[in-house]
Amino acid sequence: MPIRQLSETMINQIAAGEVIERPASVVKELVENALDAGASRVEIVTAGGGLNLIRVTDDGSGIPEREMALAIARHCTSKLTEDINDIRSLGFRGEALPSIGSVSRLSIRSRTAASDSAAEIGIEGGRVLPVRPAAANRGTTVEVRDLFFATPARLKFMKGERAESSATSDVVKRIAIAFPAVRFTLAGSDRSTLELPAAGGSAEGSLRRVAQVMGTDFPDNSIALDAMREGVHLTGHVSIPSFTRANALQQYAYVNGRPVRDKLIAGAIRGAYADVLPRDRHAVTVLFLTLDPAIVDVNVHPAKADVRFRDPGLVRGLIVGGIRQALTDAGVRAATTGAAGMMAAFRPGAASYGHGGPANGHRSYDAAYRASGPSGFDPARSSQRPLDTGFEGAGFEQRGLRENQQAAFDAGPLASADARPGQDEAAETLLGAVLGAARAQVHENYIVAQTRDSLIIVDQHAAHERLVYEALKNALHSRPVPSQMLLLPEIIDLPEEDAERLALHSETLARFGLGIERFGPGAVAVRETPSMLGETNVQQLVRDLTDEIADNDTVDTLKERLDRIAATMACHGSVRSGRLLKAEEMNALLRQMEATPGSGTCNHGRPTYIELKLADIERLFGRR
């Protein structure tokens, strides 16, 4: 078959296959055009999940009549200068409108502020209709009917009306978060109306818009971010560790105002919360990255959903460090949803209380606790050394951990007695602390504390587990991790580029007890492994590390394995349910919780305490 030039219609339909995947893709492109035109109001109407009708109306600058034909021609745009590295608008390729018009019935009606009347142009399956006069207010209305009628094979891949409507709603919400000063309305016969009033362009307005999209619980359970590193600015809000979701759908990320779904950013969020969330739970985040357009490539995906950073390690480090610093600075906080669960449980006629923790909803603490190790108070243990749990028989001495383990356990809060609530003056002072003064212990597991305006209930095992883990982890990473020499070096064959990456990170790996050196062009020799790993699959560990370095340019896999062992030790080495505590011990535990980052959740991500405000208690008794 001879080589021939494709027709313009065929070229547009091929482009549409890349850019226009589903009705939500059409909405995204049209709304971005409206925002690039400076709109302050965007109205979207759909029918049949967007397959029958999509209409987007804005009050932006409009399109002059003389440019209407250019607007629907490929690679014609008003948004891009001669510098492809200086992209400051949401759209820039000039492909959206001709691509949509090639697979649907498209009409565009627009009027500028300087024009006395509007103009309209249409396309039907790639066939351009002539420009004609029309009546319209200032701005642009784009109407798309019978999407994919010209490519019926694509219709077979569409999901149901409800699924397509939901995808469109998600697109509008993601865009709306980045533009709080714009009013968005999404309506139609196939959905309930979504209305997002303009919230203003200030930081407070941005948080109001986030609350409109994500619910009013999020602002009350979030922490503000503001970090800068080498010209990259990170702002936004992230949830406290005890406020989580079952999936990552409520993790929103923006690069220079553009909503993106980037693996590097998602991985950085997981890394930042690695120590404080269970594996099946996800943080709620809204992150805004602002940087020079020249150091980020937004032209790597037809739908512009992915980006590439010139220095991905810098961006990942900024996100991980910024979130962890914000969590540390926020101190100890409990999710407000925990109090809501308690209130619901105490109301007359309420079902039995089975709340699995603030915003977590996973299995009960008792079931998870039984799975984590033996429970119950052992009278053979010293009443003053509840952390002495007999690791001698577990082989940790031979693994080089005894010194670090002892350092962590000596930091246990129960050995101190810095608070004596029997003294009225001291007790009054403690009431002003975040977790207040201990008043009682119930069921030999829960500490009841009082502040000036709330009641605190603390799970003593979960709280102490976090404290021991943090102390043990700090002791573990304060100096190089002890290693054990292999009798015979393990030779691992790898692609040459993977071996080179490992060699570049050899110094960092040596600090964690893994001794690696090059062994020819396509192999590495492992001579030492971390003592605390014991017998381990060295080949699998090294291959996991090479995969992570290739993806993120980090070696966190090894650190996470060491931290998991420390978490297991902390779980078995912390004070058990069933142990009676003295008042001094309870208050010492509360004070150290206040001083320890992440103490609002245990190592498994469960909440360590719940706070019930005095006003809520008074409402239970009809006092308010």
Side-chain angles (χ1 to χ4, degrees), residues 223 239-244 273 276-278 327 333 358 360 598 600-601 605:
I223 305 167
S239 63
I240 60 177
S242 53
F243 186 85
T244 62
Y273 282 90
V276 293
L277 293 186
L327 294 175
R333 283 178 58 183
N360 282 350
T601 58

Side-chain angles (χ1 to χ4, degrees), residues 97-119:
L97 292 177
S99 296
I100 296 169
S102 69
V103 295
S104 68
R105 294 182 173 90
L106 170 71
S107 68
I108 305 173
R109 186 184 306 112
S110 188
R111 175 183 173 185
T112 63
S115 177
D116 294 333
S117 62

